[in-house]
Amino acid sequence: MTKQPIISVKNLVKKYGDFTAVNDISFDVYEGEIFGLLGPNGAGKTTTLEVIETLRDKTSGEVMVNGFSVDKNPDAIKKCIGVQLQAAGYYPNLNLSELIVLFSGLYGIKKTPKEMLEKVALVEKSKAKYKDLSGGQKQRFSIATTLINDPKIIFLDEPTTGLDPQARRNLWDLIREIRERGTTVVITTHYMDEAEVLCDRVAFVDGGRIVGIDSPDAFIDKLVASGFERKKEVKSANLEDVFINLTGKEWREE
Ligand code: ATP
C-alpha cells in the first residue's frame, strides 16, 4: 500500500517583517503516522504548525491538508483537525465535564463528557476544575478537547514539556492509542528520546529550514554506518530508569 500524504507543505516561507522564521520548508505527513517536528527554540516549528492549522498567514508556498488548500478552504481544514490549546484558554471555574459541554457546543457537536474523558482516562476527575489537575492530567484533558470533532489530524505542540517521566510515558501511550484509532498525529518536542520512541518519522528544523527528514531508526542507522561512535560507553541504565525504579510502577495515579 502506498502511503498517502494527508499534509503536504511545499516551499513554505513565513516572514515577520525582515526576519524569515520559516525559510522554504517542504515536507509531507502521511495518513496514520506520528510525525515529529524537532529542533531548538526559535527554529520555526510553531510557526510552521500554525500555518498548517490555518491560524497564521504564510508569506509564500503551498500547504494542503486532507485535500484542502489553506488559502482556498481554511474552514474545511478547521473541521478536520484538532489543535491543542494553551492552558490559558480554559475557563478556570468550570469543571472538566462543563468544559467538554462548552467545547462540544462551540463545535456544534453532541459529545458526552463521559465519552471524551474516557478516551484520556479522566472520568474520575469529571467534577474537578482544570486548575486543580496535575501537569499530566492537564495535558491529557487538553488532548481530549482536540478530539471532540473526531479530527483526522491532531497537532500537539510540546505536549510533554515539564512532565515527570511517568506522566510523559502515560502521554506517549495515550498518543499511540489515538493513532491506533486512525488519527494522524503531528507533534513538536525538544525531547529526542521521546521522538525516538514515539515518532514514525521526524523532521529536524533549524533556522527555519528542514535539515533532515526520516524515521528515527533510519537516521540512527545512517549515522552509525557513517562510522559515528559515541565517545563514552553507553550505560545500561540511566537516571530516568533509576527514578522509575525507585518510585514504583510506570503507571501510577497522578
Ligand atoms: P520554540 O521551540 O521556542 O517554540 P519554534 O521552533 O516553535 O520555537 P517559532 O515560535 O516558530 O519557533 O519562532 C520562530 C522564530 O520566529 C523565532 O525567532 C521567533 O522569535 C520568531 N517569531 C515568532 N512569532 C513571531 C511574531 N509574531 N513576530 C515576530 N517574530 C516572531
Side-chain angles (χ1 to χ4, degrees):
M1 201 175 76
T2 50
K3 290 176 188 163
Q4 292 298 320
I6 192 161
I7 298 172
S8 179
V9 176
K10 289 201 173 71
N11 306 112
L12 177 64
V13 174
K14 174 66 188 181
K15 294 185 181 186
Y16 296 109
D18 291 342
F19 177 71
T20 305
V22 176
N23 193 356
D24 198 16
I25 275 184
S26 299
F27 64 95
D28 288 337
V29 176
Y30 301 127
E31 189 155 14
E33 74 176 344
I34 301 178
F35 183 87
L37 280 175
L38 316 183
N41 291 127
K45 306 178 297 291
T46 303
T47 303
T48 302
L49 285 194
E50 287 173 349
V51 171
I52 298 171
E53 294 158 359
T54 76
L55 302 178
R56 199 176 274 286
D57 287 337
K58 56 186 164 53
T59 303
S60 61
E62 198 185 309
V63 177
M64 300 289 292
V65 180
N66 197 29
F68 301 111
S69 147
V70 294
D71 299 313
K72 295 188 194 118
N73 253 322
D75 291 343
I77 294 175
K78 285 193 181 84
K79 283 197 183 120
C80 64
I81 65 172
V83 176
Q84 201 177 7
L85 284 181
Q86 296 304 312
Y90 298 118
Y91 294 85
N93 289 316
L94 298 184
N95 68 35
L96 302 193
S97 272
E98 291 163 339
L99 283 168
I100 296 283
V101 170
L102 175 74
F103 280 109
S104 310
L106 293 176
Y107 279 115
I109 289 168
K110 279 233 172 339
K111 283 277 159 68
T112 65
K114 184 161 176 283
E115 69 176 304
M116 296 317 299
L117 295 175
E118 259 169 5
K119 288 182 200 280
V120 295
L122 280 177
V123 176
E124 271 142 51
K125 292 281 169 188
S126 64
K127 297 287 174 247
K129 290 181 180 158
Y130 177 81
K131 66 178 169 58
D132 297 328
L133 301 178
S134 72
Q137 289 166 343
K138 282 182 173 147
Q139 286 296 336
R140 291 198 331 251
F141 179 73
S142 74
I143 289 177
T145 67
T146 73
L147 298 171
I148 287 174
N149 59 333
D150 295 319
K152 294 196 73 155
I153 312 163
I154 60 169
F155 294 89
L156 308 175
D157 201 355
E158 296 180 25
T160 64
T161 297
L163 299 187
D164 73 48
Q166 284 135 328
R168 282 175 74 210
R169 282 160 196 235
N170 284 351
L171 217 68
W172 297 347
D173 284 339
L174 173 63
I175 292 168
R176 289 192 191 102
E177 276 169 37
I178 291 168
R179 188 270 294 279
E180 292 310 313
R181 288 186 226 125
T183 311
T184 305
V185 180
V186 180
I187 181 170
T188 69
T189 180
H190 294 294
Y191 299 118
M192 297 301 144
D193 60 329
E194 171 164 298
E196 195 176 325
V197 298
L198 192 60
C199 295
D200 299 303
R201 287 188 316 133
V202 296
F204 287 100
V205 187
D206 191 26
R209 292 181 180 276
I210 288 186
V211 294
I213 182 163
D214 214 330
S215 69
D217 281 350
F219 267 127
I220 293 165
D221 288 351
K222 268 187 278 180
L223 184 64
V224 172
S226 75
F228 175 88
E229 269 181 63
R230 277 200 186 164
K231 294 233 166 43
K232 273 195 219 160
E233 199 179 306
V234 181
K235 293 179 187 169
S236 45
N238 62 19
L239 257 194
E240 184 166 314
D241 298 320
V242 174
F243 172 86
I244 285 168
N245 206 266
L246 287 173
T247 55
K249 57 187 177 2
E250 285 188 21
W251 279 90
R252 68 167 185 195
E253 288 306 311
E254 288 168 47

